[in-house]
Amino acid sequence: MVSDDLTRAGLMTISNFKRLYQVFHGYERWFLFSILLNIAVAGGTLAIPALSADLINNGIMAGDFSYSLDVGVLMLLAAVIAGACQIANAGIAVWASEYSSHSLRTREFEKIQTLSFGNIDKFRSSDLLVRLTTDVQNVKIAIQQSVMNLMQAPLLLIGTIIIMAAMAPALVWIMVVLLVLLTIILVLYFVIVEPAFTRKQSEIDGVNKALRETLTGIRVVKAFVRQEYEINKFGQAADNLKRAAMRPQMIMSYLMPTVFAIALLGFGAVYYFGGEQVLAGTGLMIGDVTSAAQYILILMMPLLIIAIVLPFITQANASLKRIFEVLDAVPEVQEPKDPVTINVDQVKGRVEFENVSFGYRNAEGVPDGEVLTGINLVAQPGETIGFLGATGCGKSSLVSLIPRFYDVTGGRVTIDGVDVRSISLETLRNMVSVCLQESVLFSGTINENIRFGKPSMTDDAMMEAARSADVDGFVQNIPEQYDGRVARRGSNFSGGQKQRLSIARALAQKPKILILDDSTSACDVATEARIQDAITDMMEGTTKFIVAQRISSVITADRIVLLSQGVIEATGTHTELLASSPLYQEIYESQLGSGLQSGGNAS
Ligand SMILES: Nc1ncnc2c1ncn2[C@@H]1O[C@H](COP(=O)(O)OP(=O)(O)OP(=O)(O)O)[C@@H](O)[C@H]1O
């Protein structure tokens, strides 16, 4: 059972790294070159002790100065070749690691741009950030270490044993004993360290999660004087990390001295037993003994390399799995195979929901219960439809089906009679402009933010949208006006100003269908009324959907749709609903109660 698991994990690792190798398609020759360089480095490293034996045995011991000089030059040459090849190989290692991380990061970023809202919900933005940064970095380090060091390990190991067997067969047993001892230590090391590293990684994730949550919500923490609580919470995560990190770090720090101590024992054993053989006149010479001692040191190198590099590879394997998950994600909303040709300028903007049901999909891609059921609704071109209802009743979900942020799970949504799933996403989103519930602005200028959807629009078009969204008023107070700076996420603007800039961005698209999802909630009622009047003027032929919590936001709509727990409870004008719908009366009473008592006609 355990061996099955290990085999599966091993196969998975091989397949992950095989797939990673495909990143280098077209550059395979560099790896071939790196293998040659590694062979040269290993050859040079292995040649030096053998040459030193020759120098001692046949040069120094024989008193032959010229032979000593010749061998000395050869040793120097071997050292220069090994050094130069090592430097060249380090260059390839750096190139390979940087190239692969750039390629993985770019591919991942491009892939994320193709994902649907549903995919992003599952990955979560913060998680994607880690996959684009830390995970890519882990892979990069593993590649660098492997190219630079790992390839040499088997060459040095096999080379040392062969040379020792040829040069000093009587001492090979010492090498075998050392090898067995070191292998046992390394296996023990991995059995203990590997799971400890995995635990440490999960505690690092815990610290990151605690940090992210506290730092993004730092204002709320301060406002509610919860610093002490947050410090304790973070302290707990930091303690867990310290405890989890201590064990593998300790064991790692014991590894080097232990390996060195064993190597020194081997060193002593070679001199003792080798010296005995020299004195006994078995044919073993003093130079062979000194070079055997050097080979003991060389034997340690591959084992140490494996010990150092393997944790990087295990970590990179876990990271690769997470990176490939993103690269393999199938967008929930697919482009139509045979899109209907539509001339956006000729679209009238009649939107129809035909017996629509909808549920958000879970991790397995299956709808997780229904959020909307049996929705039937027609919005005529140019009409303004307001959606009202308790929080969580499905208003945002309903309008998000029009631009296909999500796909219906039953029924269909059509624009001018064409199923939205038959329209290419680009065309669809050129017809439909959305101002999302959360105002998102990008760093740059005000001008750039309003032009975001259509950078080529004229100054007049940009200004018209800005005036309609009541942006012009506060922009006039900024010295640089429309060239005024927008900080990251629009943090230098108030909530209401950010909403107005987001509305301007949506209006500037001059869409056929406009969706405002609770977009004026942070504006005062007077500003909201001004924006609505301006939108009615500017967007006369546009079909408008206004999602709102406040009755005042939809009171002037042609029709108000009252939603309750995912179904349409009632539809009508404000006056009609006030007369016929108890739920509407209840909402009206709670929000504008005094108006109802004094006659109830607020329109
Ligand atoms: N991305 C999502 N993944 C899973 N469930 C979601 C998601 N977004 C909303 N929901 C769920 O769907 C239901 C309807 O949410 P929706 O946002 O459409 O309501 P709403 O009427 O717009 O609420 P509010 O007025 O508070 O914005 C809620 O129960 C909510 O928990």
Side-chain angles (χ1 to χ4, degrees):
M1 196 67 180
V2 173
S3 77
D4 279 359
D5 286 350
L6 281 176
T7 315
R8 213 169 304 122
L11 288 176
M12 189 62 107
T13 308
I14 292 170
S15 110
N16 280 343
F17 280 94
K18 242 168 90 181
R19 195 167 160 194
L20 173 64
Y21 184 63
Q22 286 162 10
V23 166
F24 296 102
H25 181 64
Y27 293 97
E28 290 87 349
R29 61 184 182 283
W30 286 103
F31 284 95
L32 196 67
F33 188 40
S34 170
I35 291 171
L36 293 176
L37 289 172
N38 273 300
I39 292 173
V41 174
T45 312
L46 290 168
I48 289 172
L51 288 169
S52 82
D54 192 23
L55 186 133
I56 293 169
N57 293 341
N58 306 317
I60 298 171
M61 299 296 279
D64 187 340
F65 177 72
S66 128
Y67 189 79
S68 300
L69 198 65
D70 288 349
V71 179
V73 169
L74 278 181
M75 284 173 75
L76 195 69
L77 203 65
V80 169
I81 290 174
C85 290
Q86 186 75 296
I87 291 170
N89 192 43
I92 295 180
V94 170
W95 166 81
S97 59
E98 290 298 340
Y99 179 84
S100 62
S101 61
H102 173 267
S103 169
L104 286 177
R105 196 173 286 134
T106 316
R107 283 182 201 198
E108 242 191 312
F109 187 78
E110 283 169 5
K111 177 70 190 209
I112 291 167
Q113 302 304 315
T114 71
L115 295 180
S116 316
F117 281 47
N119 302 95
I120 308 275
D121 290 344
K122 274 172 214 115
F123 284 123
R124 298 202 309 276
S125 311
S126 54
D127 194 30
L128 284 173
L129 202 72
V130 175
R131 289 176 200 238
L132 274 163
T133 51
T134 313
D135 284 332
V136 171
Q137 182 72 7
N138 287 344
V139 176
K140 177 180 141 171
I141 295 171
I143 291 180
Q144 195 171 355
Q145 288 296 330
S146 303
V147 174
M148 215 148 74
N149 298 315
L150 199 62
M151 285 192 217
Q152 279 172 34
L155 298 172
L156 289 175
L157 201 67
I158 296 166
T160 311
I161 293 169
I162 292 174
I163 295 175
M164 275 289 277
M167 208 179 67
L171 300 178
V172 168
W173 68 269
I174 300 175
M175 202 166 253
V176 172
V177 171
L178 284 189
L179 210 55
V180 170
L181 260 175
L182 290 171
T183 309
I184 291 172
I185 288 175
L186 280 184
V187 169
L188 276 177
Y189 164 77
F190 276 112
V191 168
I192 300 168
V193 166
E194 170 64 8
F197 260 126
T198 312
R199 258 196 311 283
K200 181 185 153 196
Q201 195 54 43
S202 97
E203 297 302 344
I204 291 177
D205 288 347
V207 167
N208 284 343
K209 198 168 141 235
L211 265 178
R212 240 186 343 253
E213 201 168 82
T214 311
L215 294 183
T216 47
I218 189 80
R219 289 182 177 82
V220 180
V221 172
K222 283 178 181 293
F224 284 80
V225 203
R226 294 288 281 169
Q227 290 94 325
E228 200 59 42
Y229 170 78
E230 291 297 328
I231 288 170
N232 288 337
K233 199 168 83 176
F234 181 74
Q236 183 69 46
D239 279 352
N240 290 345
L241 174 58
K242 187 181 75 188
R243 264 196 299 278
M246 196 75 91
R247 196 170 143 86
Q249 253 11 94
M250 278 288 189
I251 298 171
M252 266 186 84
S253 65
Y254 297 152
L255 183 73
M256 284 277 194
T258 313
V259 171
F260 266 113
I262 291 174
L264 289 176
L265 275 179
F267 221 62
V270 164
Y271 277 116
Y272 179 78
F273 293 106
E276 223 176 35
Q277 302 251 338
V278 173
L279 291 175
T282 57
L284 193 74
M285 298 177 73
I286 188 80
D288 300 332
V289 177
T290 56
S291 84
Q294 290 171 47
Y295 280 117
I296 294 286
L297 288 180
I298 292 179
L299 184 75
M300 272 175 16
M301 282 165 58
L303 297 168
L304 278 177
I305 289 172
I306 292 170
I308 291 166
V309 176
L310 269 190
F312 289 122
I313 293 194
T314 342
Q315 212 165 323
N317 184 39
S319 290
L320 272 178
K321 196 169 143 245
R322 288 158 53 82
I323 291 170
F324 291 147
E325 261 170 22
V326 175
L327 293 180
D328 293 341
V330 180
E332 272 187 15
V333 170
Q334 291 282 325
E335 281 284 356
K337 287 202 171 53
D338 200 5
V340 175
T341 313
I342 288 180
N343 181 345
V344 176
D345 291 334
Q346 284 166 10
V347 170
K348 295 195 170 52
R350 181 184 185 275
V351 179
E352 181 166 7
F353 290 83
E354 295 176 25
N355 200 22
V356 164
S357 56
F358 171 69
Y360 289 96
R361 292 173 194 275
N362 59 22
E364 284 75 46
V366 182
D368 213 4
E370 276 193 353
V371 168
L372 297 166
T373 314
I375 303 288
N376 286 295
L377 179 73
V378 180
Q380 296 299 345
E383 204 180 1
T384 301
I385 306 271
F387 290 98
L388 209 63
T391 166
C393 69
K395 305 181 292 292
S396 300
S397 306
L398 183 59
V399 289
S400 70
L401 301 176
I402 305 171
R404 288 189 77 202
F405 289 162
Y406 298 90
D407 268 344
V408 296
T409 41
R412 62 179 201 149
V413 179
T414 62
I415 296 177
D416 292 355
V418 180
D419 191 323
V420 287
R421 288 169 296 189
S422 310
I423 305 170
S424 85
L425 286 172
E426 192 179 342
T427 309
L428 180 65
R429 290 173 190 172
N430 278 337
M431 300 179 201
V432 186
S433 201
V434 185
C435 188
L436 295 168
Q437 205 166 16
E438 188 198 359
S439 314
V440 176
L441 298 177
F442 298 94
S443 45
T445 63
I446 294 173
N447 193 333
E448 285 162 358
N449 268 276
I450 299 176
R451 290 171 188 266
F452 187 73
K454 206 191 276 176
S456 61
M457 75 180 59
T458 61
D459 285 350
D460 285 348
M462 190 276 288
M463 290 294 293
E464 188 188 8
R467 277 192 213 102
S468 298
D470 209 35
V471 162
D472 204 47
F474 71 83
V475 167
Q476 292 306 328
N477 296 327
I478 299 173
E480 299 87 0
Q481 305 217 331
Y482 285 90
D483 291 326
R485 192 180 64 87
V486 177
R488 206 153 56 92
R489 298 185 67 82
S491 59
N492 55 337
F493 291 101
S494 73
Q497 288 171 336
K498 274 194 277 192
Q499 283 194 333
R500 284 187 265 168
L501 282 166
S502 305
I503 295 173
R505 179 174 60 199
L507 298 183
Q509 292 273 91
K510 290 217 185 280
K512 298 292 173 183
I513 297 157
L514 174 71
I515 299 171
L516 300 181
D517 187 354
D518 220 1
S519 310
T520 46
S521 57
C523 301
D524 58 86
V525 177
T527 307
E528 184 179 47
R530 259 200 320 275
I531 295 173
Q532 279 173 357
D533 287 347
I535 290 178
T536 311
D537 287 347
M538 181 185 165
M539 301 269 146
E540 207 190 338
T542 300
T543 314
K544 298 170 274 296
F545 295 93
I546 300 175
V547 173
Q549 296 280 357
R550 295 193 306 226
I551 283 195
S552 63
S553 310
V554 291
I555 207 158
T556 55
D558 297 314
R559 261 182 308 151
I560 298 169
V561 175
L562 194 58
L563 279 175
S564 173
Q565 296 184 358
V567 295
I568 296 182
E569 173 85 13
T571 311
T573 61
H574 165 71
T575 320
E576 286 164 0
L577 287 177
L578 205 52
S580 62
S581 165
L583 179 60
Y584 192 79
Q585 286 162 5
E586 202 181 296
I587 299 171
Y588 185 78
E589 170 78 5
S590 65
Q591 293 183 9
L592 305 164
S594 56
L596 185 63
Q597 278 144 26
S598 61
N601 193 355
S603 61

